[in-house]
Amino acid sequence: MDYSDDDGMVETESGEESLLGDNEVDSDYEFTDQDMDSALTSKRSQVSYLVLKEEDIRKHQRTDIEQISMVLSISQVESIVLLLHYQWNVSKVEDEWFTDEEKVRELVGILKEPIADLSDRKVNIECGICFDSYPHKEVATVSCGHPYCNACWSGYIATSINDGPGCLTLKCPEPSCSAVACQDMIDKVITDKEVKEKYYRHFVRSYVEASAKKIKWCPSPGCEYAIDFESGSGSEHYDVSCLCSYEFCWNCGEDAHRPVDCETVSKWISKNTDESENTNWILANTKPCPKCKRQIEKNMGCNHMRCSICKCSFCWNCLLPYSDHKSCNKFEGDDETDIYERKRAKNAINRYMHYYERWTSNQSSRVIAMADLKKLQSVQLECLSVRQGATESQLQFTVEAWRQIIECRRVLKWTYAYGYYLPEQEQTKKQFFEYLQGEAEAGLERLHHCAEEELKHFVFKTQDSSKNFGDFRRKLTGLTEATKTYFENLVKALENGLADVSLNESSEPKTKSKPATKRRKLK
């Protein structure tokens, strides 16, 4: 689900109205006819990327190979060598070739004339690796003409393939020779199907990795799809959804994080793994031994402390030696700098934990929601269809509700990272952000509760479902649309840098106004 101003409208399937009952929607949820009409439509934004399967990548490769072969009047295997060398840059290949063909041939290893001539050898030929003699049909050469038996070629190439993508530009075994082993050599001498498949995987991946500014692999483990991102499409959003259902940011490779920018995400993730938070905890919850200065945590009730390192005994409250300690109840004042540092550290860690806990909580809720959606689609939808006498397509409003919940949990999760880095001194922006975030979160909780709890009554038939299902459908559809509106407002505001606050402050510096946002009456 994307948020865009240029969305197109998609009509719902006929027959959906048959699910609506004659009863009015619950009085706690006030939706107009216009709301219901808009709730029965979905929006699609212009897609600025394509998901490429392996066959799509091979098709792109074939197109480039055929073009180079035709324009330069060379074989396709030679075209492959050139494209691999120039990182699949067709225009670069053509420019370099027509500038100095001989130089390019020598550079990439496509020789016009062989170095070793075998035409005068009528009997057996000696292999340059094993030094055994073989008939012509059991010996193979590349453009240089250096002869090696098929068995030695096979072992040499297979080892290179297993070593990695360097096999794509493999040179002749002769140490002083620069001639390249073309793809026809691999097809000729490699008979092991698994090894050959590995070579062609390297070959396919070379196209994507050479086009890193435009095409990237999906980072989901085990996924073999690539994303072709149209960076010139005018879109500033990098979140993409792969066919494997994994959503990620094309720009930084992290999980999809719109509306938060990549820089904020990078700082937040680094902070979550940074040792600085451990330092803050130590400063806020421990005290230094007065003798050896090692940090000590109090884990028992008594204030008589004994350092496990230097064996020093001291009072936890005042840090004075316990040997002549009497009482420390009288206030004498502590080092103001030390008090300030400890208070500051404690406040910092409490603030961080506030945002971090909510960030992880929403991620956890999102994962559970994804599992619930999978369960709904695989089991519950069919059961609901039978019990309500409706087709599964007419029950898609439940699926849309869960998809909206999953997307909103993702957005809400990242707004807590955004809020953490919002400057404390910008109080007006902070209040506006927290207002929008609070409205969106409250709406999401209502939707999530409705989809999670109330749907169970109709799936497991715990109440008179035939009487109330129409009301439930209107309620869930309306909540889905209302929640979407809340999050659209939140996303647009954050992507604009909360610019509405600055505009309001400049135009009405003395007037306090409530943040403007689309709202529905939802109790």
Side-chain angles (χ1 to χ4, degrees), residues 49 53 55 60 78 93 168 229 293 297 381 425 457 515:
Y49 62 90
K53 299 179 182 178
E55 53 264 35
H60 284 304
E78 290 177 325
V93 171
L168 300 175
F229 194 86
K293 306 303 180 185
E297 179 189 6
L381 207 59
Q425 61 270 24
H457 299 314

Side-chain angles (χ1 to χ4, degrees), residues 241-458:
S241 179
C242 183
L243 292 178
C244 69
S245 300
Y246 183 70
E247 296 180 352
F248 67 99
C249 173
W250 191 89
N251 187 47
C252 67
E254 296 291 348
D255 290 347
H257 53 73
R258 187 183 178 200
V260 181
D261 61 75
C262 297
E263 183 181 357
T264 300
V265 169
S266 177
K267 287 193 297 184
W268 177 251
I269 291 174
S270 296
K271 187 170 187 65
N272 293 343
T273 55
D274 195 359
E275 288 298 318
S276 64
E277 291 310 317
N278 293 337
T279 304
N280 277 342
W281 188 92
I282 290 170
L283 189 58
N285 297 280
T286 66
K287 290 183 180 181
C289 169
K291 185 176 180 181
C292 68
K293 306 303 180 185
R294 295 291 184 95
Q295 294 296 134
I296 298 174
E297 179 189 6
K298 184 182 178 185
N299 58 1
M300 297 182 73
C302 177
N303 287 323
H304 182 184
M305 307 298 294
R306 181 179 171 85
C307 177
S308 61
I309 305 298
C310 67
K311 311 304 179 184
C312 173
S313 294
F314 62 95
C315 172
W316 174 259
N317 289 330
C318 63
L319 300 181
L320 293 176
Y322 214 83
S323 56
D324 55 353
H325 183 268
K326 294 181 180 180
S327 65
C328 55
N329 61 302
K330 184 179 178 181
F331 177 75
E332 296 180 354
D334 293 323
D335 186 348
E336 291 185 4
T337 303
D338 183 61
I339 294 173
Y340 171 77
E341 285 297 321
R342 290 185 179 278
K343 186 176 180 181
R344 183 195 63 77
K346 201 155 194 170
N347 288 340
I349 196 167
N350 287 340
R351 180 173 178 272
Y352 168 73
M353 290 306 297
H354 170 86
Y355 289 98
Y356 179 75
E357 285 172 359
R358 285 155 181 79
W359 183 78
T360 54
S361 173
N362 278 286
Q363 172 61 12
S364 175
S365 295
R366 182 171 182 265
V367 171
I368 294 171
M370 291 169 72
D372 288 340
L373 173 58
K374 188 175 181 180
K375 189 189 301 180
L376 173 69
Q377 290 176 312
S378 61
V379 179
Q380 296 177 353
L381 207 59
E382 184 179 354
C383 179
L384 191 62
S385 175
V386 172
R387 288 180 177 171
Q388 297 302 322
T391 63
E392 290 189 17
S393 63
Q394 290 174 319
L395 298 172
Q396 283 301 304
F397 71 94
T398 58
V399 175
E400 287 303 315
W402 276 110
R403 285 176 178 164
Q404 189 67 53
I405 290 166
I406 292 167
E407 173 64 6
C408 290
R409 286 293 177 194
R410 182 194 66 76
V411 172
L412 188 60
K413 162 189 163 181
W414 285 111
T415 62
Y416 281 102
Y418 182 95
Y420 180 80
Y421 289 104
L422 198 60
E424 288 287 327
Q425 61 270 24
E426 296 186 16
Q427 282 299 312
T428 309
K429 277 191 175 183
K430 190 171 184 292
Q431 290 170 7
F432 181 54
F433 160 72
E434 288 175 347
Y435 170 79
L436 291 176
Q437 187 189 48
E439 291 288 290
E441 187 163 18
L444 175 57
E445 291 301 332
R446 287 190 288 268
L447 173 62
H448 204 153
H449 179 270
C450 183
E452 192 172 53
E453 295 298 327
E454 297 183 34
L455 181 59
K456 290 178 182 177
H457 299 314
F458 303 100

Side-chain angles (χ1 to χ4, degrees), residues 111-165:
L111 307 183
K112 255 188 175 181
E113 299 294 335
I115 298 172
D117 187 7
L118 304 181
S119 59
D120 58 340
R121 304 186 190 182
K122 296 181 180 180
V123 196
N124 291 345
I125 301 171
E126 186 181 87
C127 171
I129 295 178
C130 65
F131 302 108
D132 286 338
S133 295
Y134 296 90
H136 275 269
K137 65 178 182 179
E138 294 182 22
V139 172
T141 66
V142 292
S143 59
C144 59
H146 292 125
Y148 302 97
C149 69
N150 290 342
C152 288
W153 267 117
S154 179
Y156 175 65
I157 294 174
T159 301
S160 178
I161 291 172
N162 290 325
D163 285 345

